[in-house]
Amino acid sequence: MKFPSIVLSFFASAAFVFAEVPANRGHIVVDQTTITFEKLKGYSVSNPGDQSGKAPAIFLSEADGASTINITPLIGKVKEASKTPEGIKALLTRFSDQYAKGSVEGRVLLKEASWGKSSGAYASFTDPKLKEEEKIPEGKFLKVTIGVFKIDGELFLARIFHNQKVGLENAVRVLKSVRIEAGGDDDGE
């Protein structure tokens, strides 16, 4: 039986997309842009969309539940002016306000970060109800760290829910591994 050439073409292009992403890397596609990232050992990878369910996101959960990493590309969602250092800080403040109000810190304390050609800002917030807990209940997180980072000229919103420093360190590792490639036609993991 012969397959129509369009079907064969589809499978050939899909195979090319998957062949380009090594097993230790995941990928998502946003507005025809493929974004790849490192899959961390001990973390499960899913692509449920951001918390509003509207956009693809990088979503990793540590097997023991100690941390969750959610990195949402803001491709096509922000104005060019937001990509400046001042714009990044303004976005971070806007995304962080909900966490700052009820936190131990009580306000957004921005910290800047950069690596290679990437840069951004982040802030961490501590849950006052869990601060004195010896063992954090399952599904709860002592800290949330929110960051806005410019990677390969595009902005990403990172939300890291964690109970220990290692969760934050792993999130930084994933952020540093993000690569953007033009073109893409498939959602993936």
Side-chain angles (χ1 to χ4, degrees):
M1 174 184 267
K2 283 187 154 185
F3 286 103
S5 62
I6 192 159
V7 172
L8 290 175
S9 173
F10 168 77
F11 285 117
S13 64
F16 176 75
V17 168
F18 291 114
E20 291 295 311
V21 181
N24 67 336
R25 295 190 62 79
H27 77 282
I28 60 174
V29 177
V30 180
D31 292 342
Q32 301 299 310
T33 301
T34 300
I35 300 165
T36 65
F37 57 93
E38 179 181 359
K39 290 182 183 177
L40 298 177
K41 187 175 182 175
Y43 281 76
S44 62
V45 178
S46 60
N47 184 11
D50 70 9
Q51 293 179 347
S52 67
K54 294 179 183 172
I58 298 166
F59 191 83
L60 300 105
S61 297
E62 198 168 3
D64 65 4
S67 68
T68 299
I69 303 166
N70 180 321
I71 303 171
T72 304
L74 300 176
I75 295 171
K77 299 192 182 323
V78 295
K79 295 178 178 163
E80 201 61 34
S82 296
K83 295 181 180 182
T84 65
E86 297 77 25
I88 288 171
K89 290 175 188 174
L91 279 174
L92 176 60
T93 300
R94 189 177 91 206
F95 288 128
S96 298
D97 276 344
Q98 65 178 324
Y99 300 104
K101 290 177 184 169
S103 71
V104 170
E105 295 76 10
R107 61 191 174 110
V108 178
L109 301 168
L110 294 172
K111 297 176 186 158
E112 294 184 18
S114 64
W115 62 93
K117 294 179 182 178
S118 302
S119 62
Y122 66 96
S124 293
F125 308 97
T126 307
D127 186 331
K129 296 175 194 156
L130 300 175
K131 185 179 176 193
E132 302 302 322
E133 294 286 329
E134 239 177 77
K135 182 170 172 28
I136 306 296
E138 189 174 325
K140 302 279 184 182
F141 298 97
L142 175 62
K143 291 193 171 275
V144 59
T145 299
I146 307 297
V148 176
F149 301 94
K150 185 176 178 180
I151 302 171
D152 289 345
E154 296 294 347
L155 292 186
F156 291 80
L157 169 64
R159 290 174 282 225
I160 303 103
F161 300 89
H162 54 103
N163 292 325
Q164 55 193 352
K165 189 176 179 186
V166 101
L168 184 57
E169 290 168 353
N170 285 335
V172 169
R173 187 170 155 191
V174 172
L175 279 164
K176 287 181 175 180
S177 79
V178 168
R179 300 291 177 266
I180 298 176
E181 305 166 20
D185 56 6
D186 185 33
D187 292 319
E189 129 185 353

